[in-house]
PDB file of all heavy atoms in Angstrom:
ATOM      1  N   PHE A 101     102.908  92.689  90.706  1.00 89.00           N
ATOM      2  CA  PHE A 101     102.674  92.747  92.132  1.00 89.00           C
ATOM      3  C   PHE A 101     101.317  92.272  92.477  1.00 89.00           C
ATOM      4  O   PHE A 101     101.160  91.487  93.476  1.00 89.00           O
ATOM      5  CB  PHE A 101     102.789  94.210  92.542  1.00 89.00           C
ATOM      6  CG  PHE A 101     102.784  94.359  94.074  1.00 89.00           C
ATOM      7  CD1 PHE A 101     103.897  94.253  94.830  1.00 89.00           C
ATOM      8  CD2 PHE A 101     101.608  94.675  94.757  1.00 89.00           C
ATOM      9  CE1 PHE A 101     103.973  94.412  96.192  1.00 89.00           C
ATOM     10  CE2 PHE A 101     101.550  94.888  96.131  1.00 89.00           C
ATOM     11  CZ  PHE A 101     102.752  94.671  96.797  1.00 89.00           C
ATOM     12  N   SER A 102     100.341  92.499  91.565  1.00 87.00           N
ATOM     13  CA  SER A 102      99.049  91.978  91.790  1.00 87.00           C
ATOM     14  C   SER A 102      98.990  90.438  91.714  1.00 87.00           C
ATOM     15  O   SER A 102      98.260  89.821  92.405  1.00 87.00           O
ATOM     16  CB  SER A 102      98.042  92.586  90.811  1.00 87.00           C
ATOM     17  OG  SER A 102      97.931  94.009  90.962  1.00 87.00           O
ATOM     18  N   ILE A 103      99.760  89.958  90.700  1.00 85.00           N
ATOM     19  CA  ILE A 103      99.788  88.370  90.612  1.00 85.00           C
ATOM     20  C   ILE A 103     100.364  87.852  91.970  1.00 85.00           C
ATOM     21  O   ILE A 103      99.900  86.797  92.396  1.00 85.00           O
ATOM     22  CB  ILE A 103     100.630  88.032  89.483  1.00 85.00           C
ATOM     23  CG1 ILE A 103      99.943  88.371  88.094  1.00 85.00           C
ATOM     24  CG2 ILE A 103     101.002  86.547  89.530  1.00 85.00           C
ATOM     25  CD1 ILE A 103     100.777  88.057  86.853  1.00 85.00           C
ATOM     26  N   ALA A 104     101.397  88.458  92.511  1.00 87.00           N
ATOM     27  CA  ALA A 104     101.960  87.995  93.732  1.00 87.00           C
ATOM     28  C   ALA A 104     100.886  88.016  94.789  1.00 87.00           C
ATOM     29  O   ALA A 104     100.840  87.102  95.640  1.00 87.00           O
ATOM     30  CB  ALA A 104     103.182  88.909  94.140  1.00 87.00           C
ATOM     31  N   LEU A 105     100.068  89.114  94.851  1.00 87.00           N
ATOM     32  CA  LEU A 105      99.011  89.122  95.865  1.00 87.00           C
ATOM     33  C   LEU A 105      97.994  87.994  95.665  1.00 87.00           C
ATOM     34  O   LEU A 105      97.553  87.379  96.605  1.00 87.00           O
ATOM     35  CB  LEU A 105      98.280  90.531  95.830  1.00 87.00           C
ATOM     36  CG  LEU A 105      99.123  91.738  96.224  1.00 87.00           C
ATOM     37  CD1 LEU A 105      98.372  93.011  96.096  1.00 87.00           C
ATOM     38  CD2 LEU A 105      99.738  91.585  97.660  1.00 87.00           C
ATOM     39  N   ALA A 106      97.566  87.831  94.347  1.00 85.00           N
ATOM     40  CA  ALA A 106      96.617  86.830  94.038  1.00 85.00           C
ATOM     41  C   ALA A 106      96.985  85.462  94.425  1.00 85.00           C
ATOM     42  O   ALA A 106      96.200  84.562  94.788  1.00 85.00           O
ATOM     43  CB  ALA A 106      96.201  86.913  92.524  1.00 85.00           C
ATOM     44  N   GLN A 107      98.369  85.246  94.319  1.00 86.00           N
ATOM     45  CA  GLN A 107      98.893  83.766  94.589  1.00 86.00           C
ATOM     46  C   GLN A 107      99.213  83.642  96.096  1.00 86.00           C
ATOM     47  O   GLN A 107      99.598  82.580  96.496  1.00 86.00           O
ATOM     48  CB  GLN A 107     100.261  83.646  93.846  1.00 86.00           C
ATOM     49  CG  GLN A 107      99.971  83.515  92.284  1.00 86.00           C
ATOM     50  CD  GLN A 107     101.381  83.455  91.530  1.00 86.00           C
ATOM     51  OE1 GLN A 107     101.379  82.766  90.450  1.00 86.00           O
ATOM     52  NE2 GLN A 107     102.368  84.150  91.970  1.00 86.00           N
ATOM     53  N   SER A 108      99.035  84.654  96.826  1.00 89.00           N
ATOM     54  CA  SER A 108      99.368  84.597  98.298  1.00 89.00           C
ATOM     55  C   SER A 108      98.133  84.692  99.176  1.00 89.00           C
ATOM     56  O   SER A 108      98.257  84.571 100.345  1.00 89.00           O
ATOM     57  CB  SER A 108     100.252  85.687  98.639  1.00 89.00           C
ATOM     58  OG  SER A 108     101.445  85.687  97.864  1.00 89.00           O
ATOM     59  N   PHE A 109      96.883  84.914  98.534  1.00 90.00           N
ATOM     60  CA  PHE A 109      95.702  84.973  99.311  1.00 90.00           C
ATOM     61  C   PHE A 109      94.678  83.939  98.787  1.00 90.00           C
ATOM     62  O   PHE A 109      94.680  83.662  97.698  1.00 90.00           O
ATOM     63  CB  PHE A 109      95.162  86.417  99.304  1.00 90.00           C
ATOM     64  CG  PHE A 109      95.865  87.425 100.084  1.00 90.00           C
ATOM     65  CD1 PHE A 109      97.001  88.015  99.548  1.00 90.00           C
ATOM     66  CD2 PHE A 109      95.423  87.764 101.276  1.00 90.00           C
ATOM     67  CE1 PHE A 109      97.729  89.007 100.335  1.00 90.00           C
ATOM     68  CE2 PHE A 109      96.118  88.749 102.103  1.00 90.00           C
ATOM     69  CZ  PHE A 109      97.322  89.311 101.647  1.00 90.00           C
ATOM     70  N   GLU A 110      93.874  83.440  99.694  1.00 88.00           N
ATOM     71  CA  GLU A 110      92.759  82.569  99.207  1.00 88.00           C
ATOM     72  C   GLU A 110      91.749  83.497  98.431  1.00 88.00           C
ATOM     73  O   GLU A 110      91.556  84.620  98.657  1.00 88.00           O
ATOM     74  CB  GLU A 110      92.046  82.011 100.428  1.00 88.00           C
ATOM     75  CG  GLU A 110      92.938  81.171 101.344  1.00 88.00           C
ATOM     76  CD  GLU A 110      93.407  79.833 100.673  1.00 88.00           C
ATOM     77  OE1 GLU A 110      92.914  79.557  99.557  1.00 88.00           O
ATOM     78  OE2 GLU A 110      94.273  79.148 101.306  1.00 88.00           O
ATOM     79  N   THR A 111      91.052  82.807  97.553  1.00 85.00           N
ATOM     80  CA  THR A 111      90.029  83.555  96.638  1.00 85.00           C
ATOM     81  C   THR A 111      89.118  84.349  97.503  1.00 85.00           C
ATOM     82  O   THR A 111      88.799  85.496  97.191  1.00 85.00           O
ATOM     83  CB  THR A 111      89.260  82.501  95.815  1.00 85.00           C
ATOM     84  OG1 THR A 111      90.261  81.786  95.020  1.00 85.00           O
ATOM     85  CG2 THR A 111      88.322  83.224  94.847  1.00 85.00           C
ATOM     86  N   GLU A 112      88.610  83.766  98.550  1.00 86.00           N
ATOM     87  CA  GLU A 112      87.550  84.458  99.426  1.00 86.00           C
ATOM     88  C   GLU A 112      88.201  85.666 100.117  1.00 86.00           C
ATOM     89  O   GLU A 112      87.400  86.483 100.697  1.00 86.00           O
ATOM     90  CB  GLU A 112      86.881  83.530 100.345  1.00 86.00           C
ATOM     91  CG  GLU A 112      87.753  82.894 101.354  1.00 86.00           C
ATOM     92  CD  GLU A 112      88.357  81.542 100.770  1.00 86.00           C
ATOM     93  OE1 GLU A 112      88.312  81.324  99.625  1.00 86.00           O
ATOM     94  OE2 GLU A 112      88.859  80.695 101.662  1.00 86.00           O
ATOM     95  N   GLU A 113      89.496  85.677 100.188  1.00 90.00           N
ATOM     96  CA  GLU A 113      90.103  86.770 101.042  1.00 90.00           C
ATOM     97  C   GLU A 113      90.304  88.006 100.124  1.00 90.00           C
ATOM     98  O   GLU A 113      90.623  89.165 100.584  1.00 90.00           O
ATOM     99  CB  GLU A 113      91.488  86.343 101.520  1.00 90.00           C
ATOM    100  CG  GLU A 113      91.441  85.277 102.525  1.00 90.00           C
ATOM    101  CD  GLU A 113      92.820  84.956 103.094  1.00 90.00           C
ATOM    102  OE1 GLU A 113      93.686  84.649 102.296  1.00 90.00           O
ATOM    103  OE2 GLU A 113      93.001  84.818 104.301  1.00 90.00           O
ATOM    104  N   ILE A 114      90.202  87.858  98.703  1.00 89.00           N
ATOM    105  CA  ILE A 114      90.447  88.955  97.785  1.00 89.00           C
ATOM    106  C   ILE A 114      89.203  89.668  97.495  1.00 89.00           C
ATOM    107  O   ILE A 114      88.111  89.122  97.250  1.00 89.00           O
ATOM    108  CB  ILE A 114      91.019  88.337  96.544  1.00 89.00           C
ATOM    109  CG1 ILE A 114      92.399  87.629  96.849  1.00 89.00           C
ATOM    110  CG2 ILE A 114      91.227  89.461  95.475  1.00 89.00           C
ATOM    111  CD1 ILE A 114      93.065  86.974  95.672  1.00 89.00           C
ATOM    112  N   LEU A 115      89.195  90.978  97.581  1.00 85.00           N
ATOM    113  CA  LEU A 115      88.103  91.795  97.274  1.00 85.00           C
ATOM    114  C   LEU A 115      87.433  91.453  95.917  1.00 85.00           C
ATOM    115  O   LEU A 115      88.127  91.417  94.884  1.00 85.00           O
ATOM    116  CB  LEU A 115      88.513  93.282  97.347  1.00 85.00           C
ATOM    117  CG  LEU A 115      87.345  94.399  97.300  1.00 85.00           C
ATOM    118  CD1 LEU A 115      86.534  94.211  98.614  1.00 85.00           C
ATOM    119  CD2 LEU A 115      87.941  95.704  97.069  1.00 85.00           C
ATOM    120  N   GLU A 116      86.064  91.356  95.872  1.00 80.00           N
ATOM    121  CA  GLU A 116      85.394  91.053  94.593  1.00 80.00           C
ATOM    122  C   GLU A 116      85.728  92.110  93.572  1.00 80.00           C
ATOM    123  O   GLU A 116      85.867  93.353  93.941  1.00 80.00           O
ATOM    124  CB  GLU A 116      83.962  90.929  94.862  1.00 80.00           C
ATOM    125  CG  GLU A 116      83.488  89.662  95.464  1.00 80.00           C
ATOM    126  CD  GLU A 116      82.058  89.486  95.605  1.00 80.00           C
ATOM    127  OE1 GLU A 116      81.282  90.534  95.255  1.00 80.00           O
ATOM    128  OE2 GLU A 116      81.598  88.492  96.042  1.00 80.00           O
TER     129      GLU A 116
END
Side-chain angles (χ1 to χ4, degrees):
F101 192 82
S102 298
I103 291 173
L105 296 177
Q107 291 176 144
S108 303
F109 287 81
E110 301 290 353
T111 301
E112 60 271 16
E113 295 178 313
I114 299 174
L115 189 69
E116 286 184 355

